[in-house]
Amino acid sequence: MTLNLTVSPDFAPDHISGWFIFNTWLQRQLGTGVHLELYDCFDAQRQDIKSGKFDLVYANPFDASMLVRELGFKALVRPISKPDETIIATHKDSPLQCVEDLKPGAQLVATDDPDVNRIGMIMLEPADLDQTNTETTTVDSYVIVAKNVLNKNAEVGFFLKDAYDELSDLIKSQMKILVSSEISVVHHTLLLCPKLQKYAPKIQQRLVKMADDEKGRSVLESMNLLGWEVMTEEETEFMIDLIDTLLDE
């Protein structure tokens, strides 16, 4: 048996090798083959997930909602101390000092990460801005979001905080943060498909203990993670309800 694993495309490019190292570690822990497939596009990945291509998915909160509610996946673990927050940033030389300084017709740049974009739009509400009176350019990665901000092709960019933090110091030194969300209960999650849920306790156990030995800690470091903690059904449902509420507003 070979498990097929995929990872939400919003991780930093510097950690691509880390996920392949994790894939090898997971194979050894489970005693079975694990095939990792990475994407640079949310929509393409989403289509393949819906077609039943993957057994394990490290998903962003929006996709976690779809995986659990529509496809019957079970949330296993979440990364320790790594909530998903959204940042709105602008060029360091911009006259903007806060989101309220933005005016109708504001030019935004973002990826197609729906939960980040929805939270970002909510944070623009104090400026009386929404999708009807702003212009958004959608790009493939947060690095490209940053390039658009630095080139002043957009007034502000929406970032997953973790992705923003992973940008180079040079890039971050040329930007300033206008606002950051503080939701704290929204995060990425590793989920398992319905047909393999009898293996959930074993996979959870291996992942939760991953930081207990030197080799496991080294793999986690390559992924920029501290470790994993079990995601309960109650916690999963709470997060999904929150995401669904945000997206329905």
Side-chain angles (χ1 to χ4, degrees):
M1 178 179 70
T2 296
L3 302 178
N4 290 306
L5 165 68
T6 191
V7 178
S8 181
D10 48 20
F11 65 91
D14 289 350
H15 300 306
I16 289 176
S17 61
W19 280 104
F20 280 100
I21 296 169
F22 171 75
N23 185 71
T24 300
W25 178 90
L26 190 61
Q27 290 185 78
R28 292 172 179 165
Q29 293 295 312
L30 301 181
T32 190
V34 181
H35 170 71
L36 172 65
E37 186 165 346
L38 301 179
Y39 291 76
D40 57 11
C41 172
F42 288 93
D43 285 340
Q45 183 191 53
R46 222 165 268 139
Q47 290 173 12
D48 283 347
I49 290 173
K50 288 182 177 180
S51 73
K53 186 174 181 178
F54 295 105
D55 307 300
L56 281 166
V57 181
Y58 183 64
N60 62 68
F62 175 86
D63 286 338
S65 176
M66 176 264 292
L67 285 158
V68 172
R69 295 276 168 87
E70 298 179 26
L71 303 179
F73 274 64
K74 174 182 175 62
L76 301 179
V77 293
R78 63 187 176 196
I80 293 173
S81 301
K82 208 174 184 67
D84 286 353
E85 303 291 357
T86 296
I87 279 176
I88 299 178
T90 187
H91 194 285
K92 70 171 185 177
D93 296 332
S94 169
L96 301 173
Q97 299 300 320
C98 59
V99 294
E100 287 86 349
D101 291 336
L102 285 162
K103 304 301 181 186
Q107 295 178 317
L108 320 175
V109 61
T111 68
D112 58 352
D113 195 338
D115 45 313
V116 169
N117 295 344
R118 182 62 195 134
I119 294 169
M121 292 307 300
I122 290 172
M123 291 195 295
L124 290 185
E125 289 179 357
D128 292 325
L129 298 179
D130 56 32
Q131 292 179 339
T132 67
N133 60 3
T134 56
E135 298 179 14
T136 301
T137 299
T138 302
V139 298
D140 290 336
S141 71
Y142 289 108
V143 172
I144 301 176
V145 171
K147 286 181 179 178
N148 275 266
V149 172
L150 296 184
N151 292 333
K152 300 183 180 180
N153 295 327
E155 293 175 79
V156 297
F158 289 173
F159 295 87
L160 178 68
K161 183 180 184 299
D162 188 50
Y164 183 90
D165 291 341
E166 289 289 324
L167 295 171
S168 72
D169 290 340
L170 177 62
I171 291 176
K172 287 186 290 188
S173 71
Q174 298 176 69
M175 292 193 291
K176 61 183 177 184
I177 297 172
L178 295 181
V179 65
S180 178
S181 67
E182 296 180 358
I183 300 175
S184 78
V185 295
V186 177
H187 38 69
H188 281 51
T189 309
L190 184 70
L191 302 105
L192 181 65
C193 70
K195 66 181 180 181
L196 297 176
Q197 287 179 12
K198 64 181 179 180
Y199 299 109
K202 180 180 180 180
I203 297 173
Q204 284 177 319
Q205 180 186 47
R206 296 291 194 277
L207 292 171
V208 168
K209 292 184 176 181
M210 190 173 179
D212 292 348
D213 66 81
E214 185 176 349
K215 184 171 291 185
R217 287 193 297 273
S218 176
V219 176
L220 287 165
E221 184 178 348
S222 72
M223 302 159 68
N224 194 35
L225 299 180
L226 297 174
W228 304 96
E229 58 187 1
V230 171
M231 184 79 172
T232 67
E233 186 173 345
E234 182 181 30
E235 290 167 335
T236 302
E237 290 298 323
F238 179 79
M239 183 183 77
I240 291 173
D241 285 343
L242 176 59
I243 288 295
D244 287 349
T245 299
L246 291 174
L247 295 175
D248 287 341
E249 285 188 0

